[in-house]
Amino acid sequence: MKMVLASKNPHKLTELEAILSRLGIEVVLESQVGVDVEVEETGTTFEENAALKATAVMRASGLPAIADDSGLCVTALAGGPGVYSARYGGEGLNDKQRYELVLKGLSGQMDRSAKFVSCICCAFPNGDKVEARGECAGMIAYSPQGADGFGYDPIFLVPEAKKTFAQMDADEKNAISHRGVALQKFKVELEKYLNGTHQ
């Protein structure tokens, strides 16, 4: 079975391939099936945005399409940046400027609890959907640490590991990350769906 990834991010393709190839699923980028869809993320939840992206690419390609929407939710910022994580502070900011904005917003705050959330949706041409959600709890560090990862990784500290996401190697991060958890749950749900036991 072939699925289209509703994303232009090669990092996500690599993560998905590693898990779904075991189910005999080939994951391809939009460009590989001649599709280029810009989806306006108008949803108010990660689930809604993932479904919007997956559905749009599925309609354009005629193939099952898989999308994820993820972001950082900081307790003291009323759950923000949340679904606006990729656009936090407005267009034109880079990753560093965005996480500096979060650090600035937490200046003087004692509560630094936060979580990363990832929601995955696969939309099928027959109207079916398979969905999964993963979360990773942590806290916001007082300053960026680590050189790996992307986005808010340098400021997201996992207390049990005593490291930020940006200080972890790929295997360490994938074992506990929100997307890693969501992908494992998604794999289970997709297996059930393909075997006809999905509810």
Side-chain angles (χ1 to χ4, degrees):
M1 183 190 279
K2 186 183 280 190
M3 285 186 181
V4 187
L5 174 60
S7 169
K8 294 165 182 67
N9 185 336
H11 293 296
K12 289 186 182 177
L13 181 68
T14 307
E15 286 181 340
L16 274 170
E17 278 178 329
I19 285 179
L20 297 184
S21 61
R22 293 173 215 151
L23 297 181
I25 290 167
E26 181 193 358
V27 188
V28 296
L29 289 168
E30 293 174 38
S31 57
Q32 291 173 272
V33 290
V35 171
D36 184 7
V37 183
E38 282 302 324
V39 182
E40 212 176 320
E41 297 180 23
T42 53
T44 56
T45 64
F46 296 113
E47 282 88 352
E48 285 174 9
N49 281 335
L52 281 171
K53 289 188 274 191
T55 302
V57 172
M58 175 271 291
R59 286 185 181 142
S61 67
L63 292 164
I66 182 170
D68 97 307
D69 196 52
S70 50
L72 177 68
C73 304
V74 182
T75 307
L77 298 179
V83 292
Y84 306 106
S85 291
R87 314 185 284 285
Y88 193 49
E91 298 297 330
L93 295 192
N94 62 27
D95 286 352
K96 184 170 185 283
Q97 290 168 315
R98 286 196 186 90
Y99 72 60
E100 283 174 347
L101 204 55
V102 169
L103 290 175
K104 194 173 166 191
L106 287 181
S107 177
Q109 288 282 354
M110 293 302 290
D111 182 0
R112 301 188 76 84
S113 60
K115 66 182 177 183
F116 261 124
V117 177
S118 171
C119 291
I120 297 173
C121 175
C122 184
F124 291 88
N126 65 0
D128 287 347
K129 285 192 181 78
V130 175
E131 297 171 303
R133 179 185 174 103
E135 295 186 4
C136 180
M139 55 196 298
I140 303 301
Y142 285 92
S143 60
Q145 295 162 41
D148 291 325
F150 56 95
Y152 298 95
D153 287 1
I155 63 167
F156 187 76
L157 185 70
V158 181
E160 296 79 20
K162 298 186 174 64
K163 287 180 183 178
T164 66
F165 269 179
Q167 291 173 301
M168 298 180 186
D169 65 33
D171 289 343
E172 249 183 311
K173 183 183 167 186
N174 290 343
I176 61 165
S177 78
H178 51 305
R179 192 171 291 116
V181 171
L183 280 170
Q184 290 301 338
K185 287 185 181 174
F186 176 73
K187 178 176 174 269
V188 171
E189 291 306 314
L190 186 62
E191 248 175 321
K192 285 187 200 165
Y193 176 80
L194 297 174
N195 293 332
T197 57
H198 178 70
Q199 292 302 307

